């Protein structure tokens, strides 16, 4: 074998080794990224998850608002990416606790009984005005001592929460918005930012208040993080706010 042939063979071997190492490195990074995503969502390979859908309060039929359908589609894509399976149920169907399966619960307490139960059990510092009558406080959030009113189509709020009962349990994700389009905005925000949220919060719980800006022009795409309200949401409401809420209810 002369020098030219030997150099060609060595070059081909070097190129093959480099390609193999590159493929192995990319595969390793992809698998590590997938594992982190699965850990954050509590969705290991072939695991089961629960997708709880609400109903459209504007209809007498058990229909789902089209923006909530879009939110469910985005969540379905996330679940599929993790290699997991899902079961979709209506808001009045599940009669079980949480922790055995990852749960994604969409819709406010007025349209989703499951959301109402989760908020009462795990977010005692949050109230949402569910009055059907028009008024400035309709749909408003009360979080601790702060109130967040909506201006439909201009400024609207949604809670995005990841809640766990312990490290060995699967998380519950809540998408509780003032309007259906804000639920979709929260699911899209989660899909785009889950890596950053995972780095910041790890396997712990968090409750984020998001603001959807000018949805009548930008739809669910323009979303701002208002605050991390985890501490206020998980603490009881101040006594003055509790009394005020009770007075309005009466």
């Amino acid at each position: 074998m002369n020098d030219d042939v030997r150099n060609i063979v060595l070059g081909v071997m070097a190129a093959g080794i480099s390609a193999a190492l590159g493929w192995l490195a990319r595969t390793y990074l992809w698998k590590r990224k997938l594992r982190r995503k699965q850990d954050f969502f509590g969705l290991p390979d072939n695991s089961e998850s629960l997708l709880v859908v609400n109903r459209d309060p504007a209809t007498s039929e058990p229909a789902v608002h089209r923006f909530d359908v879009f939110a469910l589609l985005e969540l379905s894509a996330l679940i599929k990416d993790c290699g997991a399976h899902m079961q979709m149920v209506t808001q009045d169907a599940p009669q079980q606790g949480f922790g055995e399966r990852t749960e994604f619960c969409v819709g406010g307490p007025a349209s989703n009984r499951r959301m109402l139960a989760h908020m009462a059990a795990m977010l005692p510092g949050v109230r949402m005005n569910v009055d059907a009558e028009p008024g400035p406080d309709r749909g408003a959030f009360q979080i601790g001592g702060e109130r967040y009113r909506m201006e439909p189509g201009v400024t609207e709020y949604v809670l995005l929460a990841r809640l766990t009962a312990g490290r060995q349990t699967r998380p519950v994700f809540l998408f509780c918005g003032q309007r259906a389009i804000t639920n979709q905005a929260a699911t899209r925000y989660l899909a785009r930012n889950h890596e950053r949220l995972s780095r910041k919060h790890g396997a712990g719980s968090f409750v984020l208040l998001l603001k959807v800006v000018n949805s009548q022009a930008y739809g669910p795409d323009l979303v701002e993080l208002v605050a991390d309200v985890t501490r206020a949401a998980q603490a009881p409401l101040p006594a003055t706010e509790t009394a005020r809420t009770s007075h309005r209810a009466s």
Side-chain angles (χ1 to χ4, degrees):
M1 180 183 296
N2 59 39
D3 291 343
D4 291 338
V5 175
R6 185 172 61 251
N7 289 336
I8 292 173
V9 172
L10 291 175
V12 171
M13 291 177 61
I17 293 172
S18 296
L21 290 175
W23 179 82
L24 289 173
R26 288 192 298 271
T27 301
Y28 169 76
L29 292 174
W30 175 80
K31 287 186 176 180
R32 186 174 68 170
K33 184 177 181 180
L34 176 61
R35 292 292 177 262
R36 287 177 176 175
K37 185 175 183 178
Q38 291 175 323
D39 290 343
F40 176 75
F41 286 108
L43 294 172
D45 289 331
N46 297 314
S47 59
E48 298 292 335
S49 63
L50 191 66
L51 209 56
V52 183
V53 302
N54 62 345
R55 62 174 178 80
D56 186 351
T59 66
S60 57
E61 301 296 327
V64 180
H65 195 283
R66 64 188 181 95
F67 287 119
D68 288 327
V69 173
F70 296 152
L72 297 173
L73 290 174
E74 298 202 23
L75 291 173
S76 299
L78 280 175
I79 295 169
K80 184 178 179 180
D81 287 346
C82 291
H85 309 290
M86 71 172 185
Q87 177 188 2
M88 187 178 298
V89 296
T90 57
Q91 48 89 28
D92 56 349
Q95 296 180 344
Q96 60 185 45
F98 61 91
E100 295 183 4
R101 293 185 289 177
T102 294
E103 179 180 336
F104 301 89
C105 191
V106 178
S111 63
N112 192 326
R113 297 178 187 173
R114 183 75 170 175
M115 178 68 71
L116 180 63
H118 285 326
M119 292 176 67
M122 296 180 284
L123 301 178
V126 178
R127 294 289 187 277
M128 188 174 184
N129 189 309
V130 295
D131 291 342
E133 296 298 325
D137 284 336
R138 183 180 181 183
F141 281 116
Q142 183 71 42
I143 305 175
E146 299 293 332
R147 184 170 301 170
Y148 300 90
R149 296 184 175 95
M150 71 169 172
E151 187 177 351
V154 179
T155 301
E156 297 149 328
Y157 296 93
V158 56
L159 283 178
L160 167 61
R162 180 188 190 275
L163 304 173
T164 61
R167 297 189 64 86
Q168 302 302 318
T169 62
R170 301 285 175 83
V172 176
F173 289 87
L174 305 183
F175 309 88
C176 179
Q178 294 176 326
R179 296 178 66 212
I181 196 169
T182 64
N183 298 330
Q184 185 190 2
T187 60
R188 185 164 296 181
Y189 182 91
L190 180 66
R192 291 175 175 174
N193 296 278
H194 65 84
E195 292 182 5
R196 180 178 59 82
L197 295 173
S198 178
R199 288 193 299 269
K200 182 175 182 180
H201 300 283
S205 299
F206 62 79
V207 186
L208 306 180
L209 180 67
L210 307 176
K211 179 168 68 174
V212 183
V213 181
N214 201 1
S215 64
Q216 61 188 354
Y218 302 119
D221 287 328
L222 192 54
V223 181
E224 299 176 359
L225 174 62
V226 178
D228 183 333
V229 296
T230 307
R231 181 173 298 179
Q234 293 185 327
L237 274 177
T240 55
E241 297 299 336
T242 303
R244 189 180 305 171
T245 303
S246 301
H247 177 72
R248 285 200 301 268
S250 62

